[in-house]
Amino acid sequence: MKVPMTEYLCVDLDSEKWECRVCNHEIGPATKGYKEGMLVYDRDPREIHPPIIDPEKYRFTFSPDPEWVRILEYYCPHCGTMVETEYAVPGHPPLHDMQPDLPALRAQWAKRGEVTVPVVGPAVTADQGHSH
Amino acid sequence: MNDIATPVKAKTPSAEELALIKKFLSDTTLFLGPDPEIMQNHDLMPRTEAEDEAIRKMSDAHTIAKIRDRIQAGCDEGYEMVEQMGAAPGAKWGDVITGVYSASGDLAIASAGGVLIFSALVHHPIKFIIKNWMNDPTVGVREGDGFIHNDSRYGNVHNTDQSMILPIFHEGKLVCWVASTVHEGENGAIEPGGMPSMAESPCDEGLKMSPFKVAENYEIKRDILTFLQNSVREPKLQYEDMKVKLFACLRIKQRIEETLKTDGPSALVSTLRLTMENVRAEVKRRISEWPDMTVRTYIIQDSTLRENCVVKINCKLTKTGDRLIFDFRGSAPEFTNRPTNTIVAGLKGMLAQVFLCYVWPDLPRGQAAFAPIEVITDPHSIVNCSYDAPNSQSLMSIFTGFTAGQHAVAKFLYSCPEKYTKVHAPTFNMINTFIWGGVSQHGETLGNLCADLNGMGAGATVDRDGEHALAPIFATMADIGEQELNEEDVPFLQLVSKKMTRDAIAPGKYRGGQGYTMIVATKDSEQWGFMTTCQGAKIPPLQGLFGGYACGAYPLSKVKGVDVYDVLLDTPEKFKHSIEEIMNEQPFEGASYTTHHMGMGFEISKRGELFMISQGAGAGYGDLLERDPAGVIRDIEQGLISPAVAERLYKVKFDPATLAINHDATAAARDAERKARVARGVPYAEFVKSWNKPTPPSHLQYFGCWGDDVGKLYMGDVGKYREAAAPRPNYMPHPKDVRIAELEARLAALGALGGEKQ
Ligand SMILES: [Zn+2]
């Protein structure tokens, strides 16, 4: 059984592997962090959050300071989907951000049965009653 | 060496002696400080005999639901009263809560709107009153009494929030408490507005009211009121809002008395208790539906509001069965002389807000929703500070702690089939607004803030973009208010207001809701100034979710040496309506244009000088290459993003004149980008070899743990740290002294110190 854990990742409870939900690529053992099966890119934050005011003139520009923070981009090595980002202090070890307890997960899902499309959650709709 | 210091084997006291010692100590207590037994516990008090008996008499679910709705309506009525009649801007725009507390002091039912962070906080002062004043012959708790409180160390967010607390009696017996809490603003601190960032000790933070009696026979005592009015910059506000809170409490009391008449005291007591117990049990059930997992995240504060530095909020969230444990160990040590520390109850209150507003908004509002959730911190840390640490800017740590929680929780919720809201990327978390003060055009002394702090951009969700300038994370039902109304009372204008700041983006498959620009200039007062109290000018205070990006950075820009009101009169075409144009084009000759971090201490402004900031964006969700191209074009049309940035980031190809999308070219560009990612991305094992460093970078002043080693907390330098469990002082030098030292070093290097004697 496969359990969708994030927008782009699922855990295959039978093989105990992380898988890409976009291309079904087997990323690596679910006993370890999925990031260990990813490609990583050290992104200069100014490329994503462009300076709004002139960096030649000003110390602060609306861009994060690239000497203070970097964006680690994690890509699926097969399809190139950006599975996660991590705003990191330069040199700070990447976090093992999701560490599921596999036996517990298996027991929990044994009772539920497989879902292919995760539950989205209730939509908030506008009230029709009161207006002025 | 004297004899007294010579160690001798201690005699073990007898039981009788122990009792005597205990009595002696309790009879001769010099000072009733915040009680750790009260302050470290956020769970419900044990069920009392009276509650047991009440439940035996009445536990019918329908009756309980009926009474709960009546009490809830009473709380909402009290809330409306404070909002409509309160003088503080915070009151007018919903920074308020009203509630009914059990006889033991637990908040059973709170108003639906308002600042729910209070729901896990303001029970502490009531418990202090119960423990210390109830049986004290010099104080006592009687019908008609009203207690005031604001000192956060006894249970509050910060001491700009004031509570009015009333005990409710029935036939001489205490049955419950009612209280109303408002963000009042002014409190007599070293800076106006109630949240001084210049505070270096609790003594700089203004009025520190431990819970004490200010009303008898439902009347405010004039002598104490006069003292309080003399202690703040807004004496009128102090009086008006004490009255408003008192009358709101009295209205709730009236609703309780109606219930007592129709259903009797047992039904009321039973309703309050069972509501809490049922919510607590339901929360544990809901948690058990989550996957058993550990999630790690961290959020960086990039300043103390006085200087830029790197301050870590470290969060490990573990769920096992029906237990949920927030572990904030490894977060930065407390600052001895900076006010960004929070008491741990403040952090818990804000985490409660994650659940009550963003995860389980259907639950009855009260203390019970967070009661079973556990929180671990290091002692004397920035998220659990000591009595001696200033905390007037605790919002910085409370809000970044909230975001760590919100980010971690989202990773649990995705797979859980039982959902009450949609999975949500972090919402913007800084109060990007102007705090102001001085003497108004009407000659009144004022100190408060623009309600634009309530306009934080929302995070994107699993299937839609984040909403712009939606609501503050601490009060999801609050409003931004009408700036034009405010301008009748204050001597400045927001020359640009509510205009979205272009390119201040948080991209993703669904983008974050953006923030708007605020440009203010003083007009009709020579004694008026501003301050800003936010982090995030160098490092975003958020993380993105599932491949989405966080927001960017938000600085403060100033234009001085210009009277923009003269410009508007004489050459109005020179005025521009964006920070981008004003700072890049520098349209006013002879003016100075500067940028700063967002921790501007109170600064007197001259007529027509510009202070310019932007509200922030919530985080994005998902891979931006999956964003619907039509959504990208819509963002261009709405002025949220410039065409060049949109094309470069989202790889959408369109006609520059008509914005017509070329779908084939877009698909090709996105395919090419995915291939480019695979080409430039480095396998993890290889990447960490060059990326991972054993210590924080030497060019940054870094506070908190590095990597997973939560036992060692850095204190600004690679060589300076403390063991997590062993607190040490953590002083910051005055930023001006740092600057003077830098400049003197440069003079010395040039040999230009001029032989000055040392
Ligand atoms: Zn893939």
Side-chain angles (χ1 to χ4, degrees), chain A residues 20 22-23 76 79:
Chain A
C20 174
V22 178
C23 70
C76 169
C79 67

Side-chain angles (χ1 to χ4, degrees), chain B residues 436 450 483 486-487 490-494 520-523 528 530:
Chain B
W436 40 253
C450 294
Q483 179 58 27
N486 194 28
E487 284 169 358
V490 294
F492 70 92
L493 298 179
Q494 277 203 25
V520 297
T522 297
K523 189 165 167 286
W528 192 258
F530 300 101

Side-chain angles (χ1 to χ4, degrees), chain B residues 299 402-403 406-407 410 424-428 457-460 541-545 617-620:
Chain B
I299 302 294
F402 166 94
T403 301
Q406 189 177 35
H407 186 232
H424 196 298
T427 282
F428 192 70
L542 305 179
Q543 295 278 356
L545 187 63

Side-chain angles (χ1 to χ4, degrees), chain B residues 31 60 86 92 143 160 179 243 247 269 283 294 325 397 424 430 468 480 501 537 586 604 634 670 757:
Chain B
F31 171 53
D60 171 56
K92 284 178 190 151
E143 201 158 350
T160 180
K243 273 175 81 172
F247 281 100
V269 170
V283 164
T294 293
I325 304 167
S397 295
H424 196 298
M430 285 289 143
H468 307 307
I480 290 168
T501 310
Q586 302 192 341
I604 291 288
R634 199 169 53 238
R670 288 180 165 188
K757 284 183 184 167

Side-chain angles (χ1 to χ4, degrees), chain A residues 3-11 18 21-22 33-105 108-109 111-113 115-125, chain B residues 288-298 300 302 308-310 312 319 407 411 414-417 419-423 462-464 501-507 509 537-540 542-555 557 579-580 583-584 586 593-597 614 621-624 626 645 648-649 673-674 677-678 680-685 687-688 691-693 697 699-700 702 705-708:
Chain A
V3 179
M5 296 295 284
T6 82
E7 181 76 10
Y8 301 116
L9 295 169
C10 63
V11 166
W18 288 105
R21 291 178 61 208
V22 178
Y34 64 86
K35 287 176 184 171
E36 298 192 26
M38 296 271 141
L39 301 176
V40 196
Y41 181 65
D42 170 13
R43 175 75 83 170
D44 183 331
R46 293 173 296 187
E47 295 170 5
I48 305 301
H49 307 286
I52 294 173
I53 55 178
D54 188 352
E56 298 296 320
K57 290 195 184 101
Y58 300 113
R59 288 167 60 204
F60 296 91
T61 65
F62 286 87
S63 283
D65 185 329
E67 293 184 1
W68 286 52
V69 65
R70 311 294 295 185
I71 306 171
L72 301 182
E73 298 182 349
Y74 298 96
Y75 308 137
C76 169
H78 185 255
C79 67
T81 295
M82 184 155 65
V83 168
E84 193 51 284
T85 61
E86 181 174 354
Y87 286 65
V89 178
H92 191 286
L95 294 183
H96 185 180
D97 65 331
M98 291 175 79
Q99 192 175 1
D101 178 333
L102 295 174
L105 203 59
Q108 190 176 45
W109 282 89
K111 284 181 249 162
R112 287 178 180 157
V115 295
T116 42
V117 184
V119 175
V120 167
V124 178
T125 47
Chain B
S288 66
E289 292 296 314
W290 293 14
D292 280 19
M293 182 158 68
T294 293
V295 167
R296 293 177 184 82
T297 183
Y298 65 93
I300 297 296
D302 69 357
N308 280 118
C309 56
V310 178
K312 189 185 205 184
K319 182 262 168 184
H407 186 232
K411 294 187 176 183
Y414 189 89
S415 68
C416 179
K419 289 191 177 72
Y420 299 84
T421 54
K422 292 174 178 177
V423 173
V462 64
D463 64 353
R464 64 176 285 180
T501 310
R502 194 175 71 152
D503 287 337
I505 47 173
K509 176 181 179 180
K538 284 172 100 64
I539 303 179
L542 305 179
Q543 295 278 356
L545 187 63
F546 301 154
Y549 291 102
C551 60
Y554 296 91
S557 303
I579 300 172
E580 184 178 349
M583 295 302 280
N584 290 343
Q586 302 192 341
Y593 300 78
T594 56
T595 61
H596 312 263
H597 68 68
S614 172
Y621 179 103
D623 182 352
L624 78 173
E626 294 188 359
V645 173
R648 182 170 60 76
L649 289 181
E673 174 59 13
R674 288 190 182 93
R677 285 173 175 175
V678 173
R680 71 171 174 258
V682 180
Y684 182 88
F687 179 82
V688 293
W691 165 269
N692 282 11
K693 298 288 182 289
H699 68 279
L700 298 179
Y702 183 94
C705 75
W706 184 252
D708 284 337

Side-chain angles (χ1 to χ4, degrees), chain B residues 574-590:
Chain B
K574 280 192 183 166
F575 187 79
K576 307 290 174 182
H577 291 81
S578 70
I579 300 172
E580 184 178 349
E581 292 163 292
I582 289 172
M583 295 302 280
N584 290 343
E585 297 173 17
Q586 302 192 341
F588 318 121
E589 297 88 17

Side-chain angles (χ1 to χ4, degrees), chain B residues 186-189 206-207 225-234:
Chain B
E186 186 36 44
N187 61 4
L207 256 181
L225 171 69
T226 305
F227 161 72
L228 296 177
Q229 289 178 300
N230 271 304
S231 306
V232 299
R233 291 177 183 81
E234 292 203 39

